[in-house]
Amino acid sequence: MADHTFDYWQRRLDDLARVLEKHGFAAEVAATAADARDRIRRAVEEMAPRSVGYADSRTLRATGALDMLRSDPRWEFIDGFDRSKPREENLERRRQALMTDLFLTGVNAVTENGTLVWLDMVGNRIGGVSFGPRRVILTIGRNKLVKDLEEAMRRIKTVAAPLNARAHEHFKTPCQITSRCHDCASPDRICNTWLVMERCYPKERIRVVLVNEDLGY
């Protein structure tokens, strides 16, 4: 029996990949998280970086690419999310990750016309995407695809941000309780800085791996 859901999303992701390529990104579509991991591995081997950094992403983690990269001795892997380390040490490593040869992370939302959208607490993710690392790989699940910028921002505020806040049990924000954005003034507010990226410059500095699975928030 045909998998109509998979075929439906495959068509939409193929269309999105073509739009992203017109906007200067390198883009490809992976069938599964495991397929995305293999594509990331091949891309990294072609790039041959001396150093690799990342900003935390549940989508990226779901592919298994981080474990693969962490265990490979061919490059220095800078981990700014080591729970065994003090927060200040991790923050310093995140700063170091902004000057690596390769930086990996995910995206909060992507529009049908190829605009990528993020909302960050600290800003290390959007900092690494926009400038610093020589190359960037983004992993995006099909559930992040939305119609336009307005829907992207609404999705982030009403879905991604509350879920992310709930994942950090030590944070104290209203959305943890209500699952709704209150535009709060909490010291633990995770919604501080937006990045809206319409084009990639220089061309193909950023590679986007679209995944035909629901991944991440």
Side-chain angles (χ1 to χ4, degrees):
M1 182 179 296
D3 186 345
H4 297 298
T5 299
F6 182 88
D7 292 344
Y8 165 84
W9 280 108
Q10 188 69 30
R11 176 63 62 85
R12 295 193 65 185
L13 294 176
D14 285 341
D15 290 344
L16 177 58
R18 284 189 286 269
V19 171
L20 290 169
E21 288 174 348
K22 291 179 181 178
H23 292 181
F25 298 88
E28 57 189 298
V29 181
T32 63
D35 181 23
R37 179 199 60 223
D38 293 340
R39 290 170 182 268
I40 291 170
R41 175 182 53 78
R42 288 194 293 269
V44 175
E45 289 177 348
E46 291 175 4
M47 295 175 187
R50 292 169 297 177
S51 56
V52 176
Y54 77 103
D56 204 17
S57 161
R58 290 180 180 271
T59 302
L60 181 60
R61 287 182 181 276
T63 67
L66 283 179
D67 293 334
M68 173 191 68
L69 293 168
R70 184 182 288 109
S71 63
D72 198 309
R74 288 178 291 178
W75 41 73
E76 178 188 9
F77 185 81
I78 298 176
D79 191 347
F81 298 86
D82 186 341
R83 294 184 179 181
S84 69
K85 304 296 183 182
R87 178 170 173 77
E88 286 304 316
E89 182 175 339
N90 274 324
L91 286 174
E92 183 57 34
R93 290 185 178 190
R94 293 178 201 179
R95 293 185 182 95
Q96 295 171 9
L98 300 182
M99 291 298 291
T100 51
D101 291 328
L102 175 63
F103 185 82
L104 299 94
T105 191
V107 175
N108 291 131
V110 56
T111 71
E112 291 177 348
N113 70 351
T115 298
L116 306 175
V117 188
W118 296 261
L119 180 58
D120 271 12
M121 179 184 188
V122 177
N124 65 294
R125 178 176 58 161
I126 63 177
V129 171
S130 61
F131 183 76
R134 297 182 187 279
R135 303 290 296 275
V136 175
I137 297 177
L138 304 175
T139 311
I140 308 175
R142 67 190 186 187
N143 51 311
K144 306 296 181 67
L145 179 58
V146 297
K147 180 180 179 181
D148 53 28
L149 183 57
E150 181 180 359
E151 186 177 340
M153 291 183 165
R154 182 168 59 249
R155 180 193 186 281
I156 293 169
K157 283 281 192 174
T158 61
V159 178
L163 282 171
N164 194 26
R166 291 178 68 88
H168 293 80
E169 296 179 357
H170 60 289
F171 285 178
K172 303 300 179 184
T173 62
C175 65
Q176 281 187 320
I177 300 171
T178 67
S179 298
R180 299 177 183 275
C181 178
H182 295 263
D183 193 18
C184 72
S186 168
D188 295 325
R189 175 183 169 117
I190 66 172
C191 301
N192 295 319
T193 307
W194 290 94
L195 174 63
V196 177
M197 180 173 284
E198 297 181 344
R199 298 289 192 277
C200 177
Y201 181 85
K203 184 178 181 180
E204 297 188 351
R205 170 181 173 262
I206 299 175
R207 174 175 293 275
V208 178
V209 181
L210 305 167
V211 188
N212 196 344
E213 289 185 342
D214 293 343
L215 298 173
Y217 295 150

